[in-house]
Amino acid sequence: PTLTEISLENIDHSGAARLSCALKFNTALQKINLYHNKIGDKGAAFIASALKQNTALREINLGHSKIGHEGAASIASALKQNTSLQEIDLDGNKIGDDMEFVIKHAVERIKLYYSGELMDGCVYDGELMNSKREGRGINKYPDGRVYDG
């Protein structure tokens, strides 16, 4: 049998570094739960490095993992290169204004969970433009073009 899902506890930045090495070459693992760990910005940078190369992972939960400003920037950069990730949970991290940066680069194709809600749709300058979420039933890009979503 192939391992496709794992959940890890007591992971800090050094554990994230070791995990990153494995994720870079992973071809089977599709879902990883790192919820409520002490990954921090340093560990987020290691995970981001792996996400740039990983082509198998579909979901990652980094909720409540002490990720801040620098970690959010690392993850945002990785999301630009990663083509396989479909869902990421960053809820409960103190990433502040950088959340807008992460969203801008992720939500058009990735389900992003932050502040306890799913934030999928088009984001422009930090403003969610998915009108389905706003209850209108039509999705529009900032320039007015309609898209399926």
Side-chain angles (χ1 to χ4, degrees):
T2 302
L3 181 65
T4 60
E5 217 175 288
I6 61 170
S7 183
L8 301 172
E9 297 176 357
N10 299 316
I11 302 293
D12 60 7
H13 71 275
S14 62
R18 289 189 294 278
L19 176 63
S20 172
C21 290
L23 285 177
K24 286 180 182 180
F25 303 103
N26 165 57
T27 59
L29 191 64
Q30 295 179 10
K31 185 176 181 180
I32 186 165
N33 183 357
L34 297 171
Y35 180 82
H36 207 274
N37 279 287
K38 295 178 182 177
I39 292 170
D41 288 338
K42 217 173 179 182
F46 288 122
I47 291 187
S49 173
L51 290 177
K52 289 178 182 179
Q53 291 181 247
N54 184 287
T55 59
L57 203 60
R58 303 288 180 256
E59 295 177 33
I60 187 166
N61 185 343
L62 294 167
H64 294 273
S65 292
K66 303 195 181 297
I67 296 171
H69 173 86
E70 292 176 28
S74 297
I75 290 169
S77 175
L79 292 177
K80 287 193 237 178
Q81 293 179 11
N82 181 291
T83 58
S84 63
L85 201 62
Q86 298 170 355
E87 190 172 307
I88 184 167
D89 188 335
L90 293 168
D91 191 30
N93 290 294
K94 296 184 187 272
I95 54 183
D97 293 339
D98 287 321
M99 193 63 231
E100 291 181 17
F101 186 71
V102 173
I103 292 170
K104 283 184 206 179
H105 292 92
V107 292
E108 286 188 25
R109 64 175 181 80
I110 297 175
K111 289 182 182 176
L112 173 66
Y113 293 88
Y114 187 68
S115 297
E117 63 181 75
L118 172 64
M119 300 184 75
D120 62 347
C122 178
V123 171
Y124 182 74
D125 286 340
E127 180 181 344
L128 189 62
M129 299 300 289
N130 180 338
S131 53
K132 275 187 181 174
R133 183 174 176 265
E134 296 169 353
R136 292 190 303 252
I138 299 170
N139 295 305
K140 291 186 179 181
Y141 288 106
D143 65 4
R145 290 178 295 135
V146 176
Y147 70 98
D148 277 331

Short mmCIF file of all heavy atoms in Angstrom, two decimals, residues 108-132:
data_model
loop_
_atom_site.label_atom_id
_atom_site.label_comp_id
_atom_site.label_asym_id
_atom_site.label_seq_id
_atom_site.Cartn_x
_atom_site.Cartn_y
_atom_site.Cartn_z
N GLU A 108 -6.97 31.74 -7.17
CA GLU A 108 -7.60 31.46 -8.45
C GLU A 108 -7.65 29.98 -8.73
O GLU A 108 -8.51 29.51 -9.45
CB GLU A 108 -6.89 32.21 -9.57
CG GLU A 108 -7.23 33.70 -9.53
CD GLU A 108 -6.71 34.43 -10.73
OE1 GLU A 108 -6.51 33.80 -11.79
OE2 GLU A 108 -6.50 35.63 -10.62
N ARG A 109 -6.75 29.20 -8.15
CA ARG A 109 -6.76 27.76 -8.40
C ARG A 109 -6.68 26.92 -7.13
O ARG A 109 -6.79 25.72 -7.18
CB ARG A 109 -5.64 27.36 -9.35
CG ARG A 109 -4.27 27.61 -8.77
CD ARG A 109 -3.17 27.09 -9.68
NE ARG A 109 -1.89 27.33 -9.06
CZ ARG A 109 -1.36 26.57 -8.12
NH1 ARG A 109 -1.98 25.51 -7.70
NH2 ARG A 109 -0.20 26.87 -7.59
N ILE A 110 -6.50 27.56 -5.99
CA ILE A 110 -6.33 26.84 -4.73
C ILE A 110 -7.40 27.27 -3.74
O ILE A 110 -7.67 28.45 -3.60
CB ILE A 110 -4.92 27.13 -4.12
CG1 ILE A 110 -3.83 26.61 -5.04
CG2 ILE A 110 -4.79 26.49 -2.75
CD1 ILE A 110 -2.43 26.96 -4.57
N LYS A 111 -7.95 26.30 -3.03
CA LYS A 111 -8.86 26.62 -1.93
C LYS A 111 -7.98 27.02 -0.75
O LYS A 111 -7.14 26.26 -0.31
CB LYS A 111 -9.71 25.42 -1.55
CG LYS A 111 -10.75 25.08 -2.57
CD LYS A 111 -11.57 23.90 -2.11
CE LYS A 111 -12.59 23.54 -3.18
NZ LYS A 111 -13.34 22.34 -2.80
N LEU A 112 -8.19 28.22 -0.27
CA LEU A 112 -7.39 28.76 0.81
C LEU A 112 -8.28 28.98 2.02
O LEU A 112 -9.30 29.65 1.91
CB LEU A 112 -6.76 30.08 0.37
CG LEU A 112 -6.01 30.87 1.42
CD1 LEU A 112 -4.77 30.11 1.85
CD2 LEU A 112 -5.62 32.22 0.87
N TYR A 113 -7.89 28.41 3.16
CA TYR A 113 -8.64 28.60 4.39
C TYR A 113 -7.87 29.54 5.29
O TYR A 113 -6.70 29.33 5.56
CB TYR A 113 -8.85 27.26 5.11
CG TYR A 113 -9.74 26.33 4.34
CD1 TYR A 113 -9.22 25.47 3.39
CD2 TYR A 113 -11.12 26.33 4.55
CE1 TYR A 113 -10.03 24.62 2.67
CE2 TYR A 113 -11.94 25.47 3.83
CZ TYR A 113 -11.40 24.63 2.90
OH TYR A 113 -12.21 23.80 2.18
N TYR A 114 -8.55 30.59 5.72
CA TYR A 114 -7.94 31.56 6.63
C TYR A 114 -9.05 32.22 7.42
O TYR A 114 -10.10 32.52 6.87
CB TYR A 114 -7.13 32.60 5.86
CG TYR A 114 -6.35 33.52 6.75
CD1 TYR A 114 -5.29 33.05 7.50
CD2 TYR A 114 -6.68 34.86 6.88
CE1 TYR A 114 -4.57 33.88 8.34
CE2 TYR A 114 -5.97 35.70 7.71
CZ TYR A 114 -4.92 35.20 8.44
OH TYR A 114 -4.21 36.01 9.27
N SER A 115 -8.84 32.46 8.67
CA SER A 115 -9.84 33.05 9.57
C SER A 115 -11.13 32.24 9.58
O SER A 115 -12.23 32.78 9.63
CB SER A 115 -10.15 34.50 9.16
OG SER A 115 -8.98 35.27 9.29
N GLY A 116 -10.99 30.92 9.51
CA GLY A 116 -12.13 30.03 9.67
C GLY A 116 -13.07 29.94 8.48
O GLY A 116 -14.14 29.37 8.60
N GLU A 117 -12.70 30.48 7.32
CA GLU A 117 -13.60 30.35 6.19
C GLU A 117 -12.82 30.06 4.91
O GLU A 117 -11.65 30.37 4.79
CB GLU A 117 -14.45 31.60 6.00
CG GLU A 117 -13.69 32.86 5.69
CD GLU A 117 -14.62 34.05 5.55
OE1 GLU A 117 -15.11 34.52 6.58
OE2 GLU A 117 -14.86 34.47 4.42
N LEU A 118 -13.53 29.42 3.99
CA LEU A 118 -12.96 29.13 2.69
C LEU A 118 -12.93 30.41 1.89
O LEU A 118 -13.92 31.11 1.79
CB LEU A 118 -13.83 28.08 1.97
CG LEU A 118 -13.50 27.80 0.52
CD1 LEU A 118 -12.10 27.19 0.41
CD2 LEU A 118 -14.52 26.85 -0.06
N MET A 119 -11.79 30.72 1.34
CA MET A 119 -11.66 31.94 0.54
C MET A 119 -11.24 31.53 -0.86
O MET A 119 -10.07 31.56 -1.20
CB MET A 119 -10.63 32.87 1.16
CG MET A 119 -11.00 33.29 2.56
SD MET A 119 -9.88 34.48 3.25
CE MET A 119 -10.38 35.94 2.35
N ASP A 120 -12.19 31.09 -1.68
CA ASP A 120 -11.83 30.76 -3.05
C ASP A 120 -12.49 31.76 -3.97
O ASP A 120 -13.55 32.28 -3.71
CB ASP A 120 -12.18 29.33 -3.41
CG ASP A 120 -13.66 29.05 -3.33
OD1 ASP A 120 -14.42 29.86 -2.77
OD2 ASP A 120 -14.06 28.00 -3.83
N GLY A 121 -11.85 32.04 -5.07
CA GLY A 121 -12.35 33.01 -6.02
C GLY A 121 -11.22 33.88 -6.49
O GLY A 121 -10.06 33.59 -6.27
N CYS A 122 -11.55 34.95 -7.14
CA CYS A 122 -10.54 35.85 -7.65
C CYS A 122 -10.29 36.96 -6.65
O CYS A 122 -11.23 37.54 -6.12
CB CYS A 122 -11.02 36.44 -8.98
SG CYS A 122 -9.88 37.62 -9.68
N VAL A 123 -9.04 37.26 -6.39
CA VAL A 123 -8.72 38.34 -5.47
C VAL A 123 -7.91 39.39 -6.23
O VAL A 123 -7.02 39.08 -6.99
CB VAL A 123 -7.92 37.82 -4.27
CG1 VAL A 123 -7.40 38.95 -3.43
CG2 VAL A 123 -8.78 36.90 -3.45
N TYR A 124 -8.27 40.61 -6.02
CA TYR A 124 -7.57 41.72 -6.66
C TYR A 124 -7.32 42.77 -5.59
O TYR A 124 -8.24 43.24 -4.94
CB TYR A 124 -8.43 42.28 -7.78
CG TYR A 124 -7.78 43.40 -8.53
CD1 TYR A 124 -6.74 43.13 -9.41
CD2 TYR A 124 -8.18 44.70 -8.35
CE1 TYR A 124 -6.14 44.14 -10.11
CE2 TYR A 124 -7.58 45.73 -9.04
CZ TYR A 124 -6.55 45.45 -9.91
OH TYR A 124 -5.95 46.46 -10.59
N ASP A 125 -6.07 43.15 -5.40
CA ASP A 125 -5.69 44.10 -4.35
C ASP A 125 -6.28 43.72 -3.00
O ASP A 125 -6.77 44.56 -2.25
CB ASP A 125 -6.12 45.52 -4.72
CG ASP A 125 -5.22 46.10 -5.80
OD1 ASP A 125 -4.11 45.62 -5.99
OD2 ASP A 125 -5.66 47.06 -6.44
N GLY A 126 -6.28 42.42 -2.70
CA GLY A 126 -6.75 41.94 -1.41
C GLY A 126 -8.26 41.87 -1.27
O GLY A 126 -8.76 41.47 -0.25
N GLU A 127 -9.00 42.26 -2.31
CA GLU A 127 -10.46 42.24 -2.23
C GLU A 127 -11.00 41.00 -2.92
O GLU A 127 -10.67 40.72 -4.07
CB GLU A 127 -11.03 43.48 -2.92
CG GLU A 127 -12.54 43.55 -2.87
CD GLU A 127 -13.08 44.78 -3.59
OE1 GLU A 127 -12.31 45.71 -3.84
OE2 GLU A 127 -14.27 44.78 -3.90
N LEU A 128 -11.80 40.22 -2.22
CA LEU A 128 -12.37 39.01 -2.80
C LEU A 128 -13.41 39.39 -3.84
O LEU A 128 -14.37 40.09 -3.55
CB LEU A 128 -13.01 38.16 -1.70
CG LEU A 128 -13.46 36.77 -2.12
CD1 LEU A 128 -12.28 35.93 -2.59
CD2 LEU A 128 -14.14 36.07 -0.96
N MET A 129 -13.21 38.92 -5.06
CA MET A 129 -14.10 39.29 -6.16
C MET A 129 -15.03 38.14 -6.55
O MET A 129 -15.72 38.22 -7.53
CB MET A 129 -13.27 39.70 -7.39
CG MET A 129 -12.37 40.89 -7.14
SD MET A 129 -13.25 42.37 -6.66
CE MET A 129 -14.04 42.79 -8.19
N ASN A 130 -15.01 37.06 -5.80
CA ASN A 130 -15.88 35.92 -6.10
C ASN A 130 -17.29 36.28 -5.67
O ASN A 130 -17.62 36.24 -4.52
CB ASN A 130 -15.38 34.67 -5.38
CG ASN A 130 -16.22 33.46 -5.66
OD1 ASN A 130 -17.38 33.56 -6.05
ND2 ASN A 130 -15.64 32.31 -5.45
N SER A 131 -18.13 36.62 -6.62
CA SER A 131 -19.46 37.09 -6.27
C SER A 131 -20.38 35.96 -5.82
O SER A 131 -21.42 36.21 -5.25
CB SER A 131 -20.08 37.87 -7.42
OG SER A 131 -20.03 37.11 -8.60
N LYS A 132 -19.99 34.69 -6.07
CA LYS A 132 -20.78 33.59 -5.51
C LYS A 132 -20.73 33.68 -3.99
O LYS A 132 -21.72 33.53 -3.31
CB LYS A 132 -20.23 32.23 -5.96
CG LYS A 132 -20.74 31.78 -7.28
CD LYS A 132 -20.27 30.37 -7.54
CE LYS A 132 -20.75 29.89 -8.88
NZ LYS A 132 -20.19 28.58 -9.21
#
